[in-house]
Amino acid sequence: MRLIAHRGFASTAPENTIAAVQSAADHADAVEVDIRRCQSGELVVIHDATVERVIGGAVDTTTTTPDTATVATTPLSELKTHTVLDSGERIPTLAELLEALPPGLELHLELKERGLAADVLDAIDGIDNPVLLTSFLPSELRAIREREPSQSIGLLVSRRLETPITTAIELDCDAIGASYWRCLTTRLVSRARTVSLEIHAWPVKQQHTATLLSRRGVDCVSADRPIRLPPSR
């Protein structure tokens, strides 16, 4: 079983920042971050569609209010004036994060919105680190597969997706990710193993949960802090 640092271990470091990714490299097999596009066009590493929680306060501009301050309506120059959760760390662009990525660290990029596939593929072209592109949006995964057939992709399973394995097969996915509860209480894991899909589970907080998931056949667990994984079977 392998450990994925969710947002760079979001409980122990400022989430989705370069500092979080670099520190997570000492404890995790892979690190996961979230990608959106800001108003000025750059790809930025941030989870929420809105800005307030991540920067710890409202954006004060002439064009936005606390209720409408979204990543999509905020230019990079404005985003860069704030720090992430009062940490001193700035919201990085994807390009900045890739440049600072520790050698050999596996990177999982979650595409949070439509229309990112082509630019994300361009951004990771030529980097040496292994990269898995994931999304809850089948349209983004389809766009990746059509443009770059060799790129590893993973489908993230929402509560609304009734046929996750069928959808993953249709998209020619390499991996599938779901809540740990779904992995433990449904046939998703057994069906995924039948068709050779790598299985990721989230959010895992305790070694006991990781052990149960390992016994089910889950390959990777995503956590907000370093946890001890069960020994290899």
Side-chain angles (χ1 to χ4, degrees), residues 146-162:
E146 290 174 353
R147 175 166 170 155
E148 185 49 71
S150 65
Q151 173 61 50
S152 297
I153 59 174
L155 175 67
L156 303 180
V157 179
S158 70
R159 293 186 181 94
R160 298 184 300 275
L161 185 59
E162 296 180 356

Side-chain angles (χ1 to χ4, degrees), residues 1-226:
M1 178 174 277
R2 297 159 59 234
L3 179 62
I4 304 168
H6 181 234
R7 305 184 204 170
F9 290 135
S11 292
T12 62
E15 65 177 58
N16 279 323
T17 61
I18 289 172
V21 168
Q22 291 179 331
S23 63
D26 294 331
H27 307 281
D29 301 291
V31 64
E32 180 268 349
V33 297
D34 305 286
I35 307 300
R36 293 185 180 275
R37 191 188 304 279
C38 67
Q39 188 273 335
S40 49
E42 294 87 355
L43 299 179
V44 291
V45 184
I46 186 171
H47 177 270
D48 297 8
T50 55
V51 179
E52 232 178 322
R53 180 191 67 84
V54 176
I55 67 171
V59 174
D60 181 19
T61 75
T62 58
T63 58
T64 61
T65 68
D67 293 329
T68 61
T70 65
V71 177
T73 59
T74 307
L76 182 64
S77 58
E78 175 65 25
L79 291 175
K80 287 292 190 181
T81 65
H82 304 284
T83 61
V84 176
L85 301 173
D86 298 321
S87 66
E89 290 293 315
R90 308 286 175 177
I91 297 170
T93 64
L94 176 57
E96 290 168 342
L97 184 132
L98 292 174
E99 187 175 352
L101 197 62
L105 179 63
E106 183 174 325
L107 180 63
H108 295 188
L109 299 178
E110 181 183 341
L111 282 61
K112 302 293 290 185
E113 57 195 35
R114 291 176 174 81
L116 303 182
D119 287 345
V120 169
L121 284 171
D122 287 343
I124 65 173
D125 184 36
I127 75 165
D128 295 328
N129 299 64
V131 179
L132 175 70
L133 301 183
T134 68
S135 187
F136 286 98
L137 302 168
S139 60
E140 285 302 288
L141 297 177
R142 188 173 294 109
I144 293 166
R145 181 57 73 233
E146 290 174 353
R147 175 166 170 155
E148 185 49 71
S150 65
Q151 173 61 50
S152 297
I153 59 174
L155 175 67
L156 303 180
V157 179
S158 70
R159 293 186 181 94
R160 298 184 300 275
L161 185 59
E162 296 180 356
T163 56
I165 302 300
T166 300
T167 302
I169 293 171
E170 290 173 349
L171 293 168
D172 191 24
C173 287
D174 303 278
I176 190 166
S179 70
Y180 80 89
W181 187 246
R182 190 163 186 168
C183 289
L184 290 175
T185 61
T186 72
R187 296 178 56 214
L188 184 140
V189 173
S190 60
R191 294 192 63 204
R193 289 178 63 83
T194 299
V195 294
S196 300
L197 282 168
E198 187 173 87
I199 309 148
H200 302 182
W202 76 78
V204 177
K205 299 180 179 180
Q206 299 177 345
Q207 183 183 6
H208 173 69
T209 306
T211 298
L212 292 176
L213 291 165
S214 177
R215 290 172 181 170
R216 276 295 180 100
V218 169
D219 300 291
C220 304
V221 293
S222 180
D224 285 331
R225 65 179 68 249

